[in-house]
Amino acid sequence: MGFVLALGAALIPAPALAKSPKAPVARDGSHDMDFSFGTWRTDIKIFKNPIDKPNEFITMTGTKRTTPVWNGKAALEQIEADGAGSHWEALNLMLYDPVARQWSQNYVDSEVGRMEDAPQIGEMRDGKLEFNGLEPINGRATLVRGVWTITGPDTHNYRISRSVDGGRSWHTSFTANLTRIK
């Protein structure tokens, strides 16, 4: 019987005996936020009604400080900016999930003082850190996407876009251009 099995194995072409290729190992993204650590000057545009009035926005200038937590597996971002008669303070808590290999972005505005919506979830794709989520606007579920783009060793930008039609079209609601101070 052993001879028959050995003979049968000898008749099977070599590629059929080769082990199937292993699934690609998901990359460890636990340090994807490292680029943002430090103190940054931020130039901001906020589009109050990006869908109906996409050309109307306010501008603000301020400072963003991002501090690593848990050896970089979390990050605390503090933003403070001023514009024409307005002042804005906010926090983002970024948390890395080592099982899912994804980040969550948890936002809180100083005027509200609590996490308002479910976090956006994201990961590095094509050199950009992209977060996606749902956010209620006027009682309607709206898709929201935030994209961090590293434009140089001391510059990056962040853009938030929203979609009210299931992702067929996107409207920019926030931009920040950042330059490292230290």
Side-chain angles (χ1 to χ4, degrees):
M1 180 77 164
F3 175 75
V4 173
L5 287 177
L7 181 60
L11 296 175
I12 299 173
L17 292 176
K19 292 182 180 178
S20 61
K22 292 183 181 178
V25 176
R27 64 181 280 288
D28 175 11
S30 63
H31 290 280
D32 286 348
M33 289 300 303
D34 288 5
F35 74 90
S36 71
F37 298 158
T39 303
W40 303 79
R41 174 193 160 100
T42 182
D43 294 303
I44 296 168
K45 284 185 183 179
I46 300 172
F47 299 80
K48 290 293 188 181
N49 189 344
I51 293 152
D52 296 327
K53 297 178 182 177
N55 296 321
E56 292 182 19
F57 56 86
I58 62 168
T59 59
M60 302 181 97
T61 300
T63 304
K64 177 189 84 118
R65 288 178 189 82
T66 306
T67 306
V69 181
W70 302 334
N71 195 29
K73 291 186 167 93
L76 181 63
E77 178 184 81
Q78 298 171 271
I79 308 160
E80 190 167 348
D82 293 292
S86 61
H87 181 75
W88 175 53
E89 292 178 278
L91 290 174
N92 275 307
L93 176 61
M94 315 296 199
L95 301 168
Y96 184 70
D97 179 338
V99 174
R101 295 182 184 249
Q102 292 180 311
W103 285 87
S104 64
Q105 181 175 353
N106 305 270
Y107 174 80
V108 62
D109 190 291
S110 66
E111 288 185 12
V112 178
R114 67 181 178 282
M115 303 286 181
E116 296 182 55
D117 302 311
Q120 293 182 27
I121 305 297
E123 60 192 276
M124 189 70 77
R125 293 184 193 150
D126 301 322
K128 296 180 180 184
L129 192 54
E130 182 176 317
F131 291 88
N132 292 283
L134 284 173
E135 185 176 288
I137 296 179
N138 298 327
R140 197 182 155 128
T142 303
L143 295 174
V144 61
R145 175 175 58 204
V147 179
W148 295 90
T149 304
I150 303 165
T151 54
D154 293 319
T155 57
H156 65 270
N157 62 52
Y158 181 63
R159 175 180 303 272
I160 299 173
S161 301
R162 291 179 164 75
S163 175
V164 294
D165 59 10
R168 288 185 296 278
S169 62
W170 291 88
H171 306 272
T172 299
S173 60
F174 179 94
T175 63
N177 293 306
L178 300 107
T179 304
R180 188 182 306 275
I181 296 171
K182 55 182 172 174

